[in-house]
Amino acid sequence: MTTELSLFPPDKAESTAAAPLAHRLRPETFDDFLGHEELLGPGKPLREAIERGSITSMVLWGPPGCGKTTLARLLARYTDRELVVFSAVTEGVPRVREIIREAEQRRQVEGRGTILFCDEIHRFNKSQQDAFLPSVESGVITLVGATTENPSFELNSALLSRLRVFVLQPLAPGAIRAIIERALAKLAGESGKPAPPLSEAALELLVRHADGDARRALNATEALLDHVLRDRKRAAGAEVPAETVAAVLERRLAQYDKAGEQHFNLISALHKAVRGSNVEGALYWLARMIDGGEDVLYIARRVVRMAIEDVGLADPRALTIALAAKDTYHFLGSPEGDLAIAEAVVYLCAAPKSNKVYSAWGEAMQAARDYPAEPVPLHIRNAPTALMKGLGYGAGYRYDHAEEGAHAAGQEYLPEPLRGAKWYEPTDAGYEKTLAERLAWLARRRDEK
């Protein structure tokens, strides 16, 4: 049964008028909650579980401003449980134990459950996270963790196995637009004055500025209206243009975390765009990383890796250019040296691709692991002493430069179990076509012997 409860105690309800707009507009029902229809739309399992009051411990994983805290409050509202908000940034394990004791008493005395909402749960190290385990296991608390980081990396396996993971995406532009329009109406109602109309371009700029973050959208809207209403030169009822919005908004900071999942996601995107020969995609992800503050030498090292792994011998110049870009950046620094990395990325995108050396190296490494103790054939061993010569070291070795084509056709270089192996199969792309022709000629000479 759905129980309607106020989100704020009666004695605190009035104080919310001075709270930030994002707090004042926090939805109180699912009907007001925008976005995440894939999880919370009518008939969805999570929505039905919440409305039945049968929720279990969970972690909400999503970017800032996507509604994690609001959802936790709705969980408490719809399940008639006490909501205790806890921040892993400012509080520690002693407070967790205190909350658990209070939850045990509440269950015994009132027969009422407790939702412990742990904001920024990833800030607890994996040992500290163990403090939740016994009470989650016994059901004393329903833990709702919120995190912007990948739970696979940030939560210990014991805790993660006891939690359902729900992924919340950034809010869609349509949801952000609705939130802004709701904010305009709210602010107009509070001020007693009609909200100034926004041009379509101005509204679009606000939506784009939000980057799927409702809190950012609301803060920007509040700042914009404060500026507009204080502007004495503005004609009453005049439409707010995009230029005014641009003047008010602070520059959007890149959505990037050099130590978190974004770091790995963006370098993966850059690498795959280069592999896919997509110049614009590669430049975009490169720009995102540099603009987000990534160590450019780290990017340069990865670009060198791309030259080796994905271009390979289809264009041997790619490695030279990637190394030159790295050295150029090291010499010039940012921002001048950034262009050298961009130049190398464009070259790699346009270059013919081959991963055949990469594949051949992997097969050779596997062969070395499968046959780790095979002796070197006697004829290709060095024989610096008379004893070694007497034992047959170097016997029968044919000096390649003394033979036709500087190639001792038919001479074996692998131990017996691996003879006949063929790991490197060049493509017909770029320079590898020339290599393929050379290797085919060598194979024919070998067969003739």
Side-chain angles (χ1 to χ4, degrees), residues 21-68:
L21 179 60
H23 194 72
R24 304 201 305 273
L25 272 179
R26 197 181 297 280
E28 296 188 7
T29 69
F30 277 119
D31 293 335
D32 296 329
F33 191 75
L34 296 171
H36 313 302
E37 288 81 4
E38 70 282 359
L39 295 177
L40 298 166
K44 297 296 182 181
L46 178 58
R47 170 75 173 265
E48 291 187 345
I50 293 169
E51 292 180 336
R52 289 195 309 269
S54 59
I55 62 169
T56 58
S57 291
M58 67 184 72
V59 59
L60 306 175
W61 172 27
C66 68
K68 299 184 293 294

Side-chain angles (χ1 to χ4, degrees), residues 199-222:
S199 70
E200 182 60 26
L203 186 55
E204 283 294 331
L205 184 55
L206 277 175
V207 171
R208 192 163 66 250
H209 169 84
D211 271 340
D213 182 333
R215 190 179 298 108
R216 184 196 292 265
L218 292 171
N219 289 343
T221 302
E222 193 167 27

Side-chain angles (χ1 to χ4, degrees), residues 284-295:
Y284 172 73
W285 297 117
L286 174 66
R288 278 279 301 274
M289 295 185 79
I290 291 178
D291 193 51
E294 181 58 79
D295 177 5

Side-chain angles (χ1 to χ4, degrees), residues 16 70 75 130 132 170 191 250 255 323 326 365 385 412:
T16 62
T70 296
L75 292 176
D130 285 339
F132 296 117
S191 67
E250 75 281 6
Q255 294 294 307
L323 287 169
K326 184 266 296 181
M365 285 296 294
T385 69
E412 290 288 353

